[in-house]
Amino acid sequence: ALGSIGFVLWAYVMIAGTSNGVNLTDGLDGLATGTSVMVFASYVLIGIWQFGNACPGAAGKCYEARDPLDLAVVAAAVMGACFGFLWWNASPAKIFMGDTGSLSLGGLLAGIAIVTRTELLLVVLGGLFVIETLSVIVQVGSFRLFHRRVFRMAPVHHHFELGGWPETTVIIRFWILAI
């Protein structure tokens, strides 16, 4: 329906948006990593479900994805890598992900969403990333238009920190929202 050019533009927007969403979330020790674990776990389940419910030969009546079990293995591997990283990235962090890690995690999430054909579901699964990104957009837009801030600081996890919540409380509550 989109055509070749439309698909390339859509994929670009998906990858750029998801990468930047994870990058914006990577402001507290373990926040982006823990949330990514949950989203990749969802894609493990989605891949297994798609593999078990494939219906070859029923053109137009199925929601087919190519090699869903392989995608589930990739999602499981990245989820495991994030768990290993989280061991050392939990507050107080001994190692940091940085832009390279967070942008690549977001890009991989977008890639898996595109290949499993669950692009719109990614908005729900990665809802915390969407909230973090929207908080920055609202803050910048409000400041440029009205010269007023909506949050004490953006992304929104820093707003709660400046409101007196300890870092670990913000992280755990945001993980609960992500679940």
Side-chain angles (χ1 to χ4, degrees):
L2 291 176
S4 297
I5 294 172
F7 173 76
V8 169
L9 292 174
W10 172 248
Y12 175 77
V13 168
M14 284 273 312
I15 293 167
T18 308
S19 293
N20 284 298
V22 175
N23 190 32
L24 290 169
T25 306
D26 187 33
L28 298 178
D29 297 340
L31 182 58
T33 309
T35 306
S36 295
V37 164
M38 295 172 213
V39 180
F40 282 115
S42 299
Y43 275 108
V44 170
L45 296 175
I46 288 168
I48 291 169
W49 185 87
Q50 285 180 335
F51 178 76
N53 291 294
C55 49
K61 295 182 181 178
C62 285
Y63 194 66
E64 285 295 321
R66 183 162 181 249
D67 303 322
L69 200 55
D70 293 344
L71 295 171
V73 169
V74 169
V78 176
M79 183 181 75
C82 285
F83 267 129
F85 178 78
L86 191 56
W87 183 265
W88 299 103
N89 186 242
S91 184
K94 311 251 183 318
I95 59 174
F96 301 97
M97 184 182 317
D99 290 347
T100 303
S102 59
L103 290 169
S104 62
L105 281 178
L108 183 60
L109 280 174
I112 290 176
I114 291 168
V115 176
T116 58
R117 304 171 107 189
T118 56
E119 297 96 327
L120 297 179
L121 182 60
L122 182 59
V123 175
V124 176
L125 295 177
L128 184 65
F129 303 133
V130 174
I131 291 168
E132 294 276 355
T133 304
L134 289 176
S135 73
V136 173
I137 292 169
V138 166
Q139 183 85 326
V140 170
S142 173
F143 191 76
R144 287 191 180 170
L145 292 174
F146 308 114
H147 303 290
R148 295 188 54 134
R149 298 184 194 283
V150 175
F151 304 105
R152 293 178 186 101
M153 186 176 180
V156 71
H157 59 261
H158 292 307
H159 170 79
F160 290 105
E161 262 192 313
L162 293 176
W165 290 15
E167 180 179 358
T168 52
T169 301
V170 175
I171 293 166
I172 291 170
R173 288 183 179 166
F174 276 45
W175 282 354
I176 291 168
L177 287 174
I179 291 171

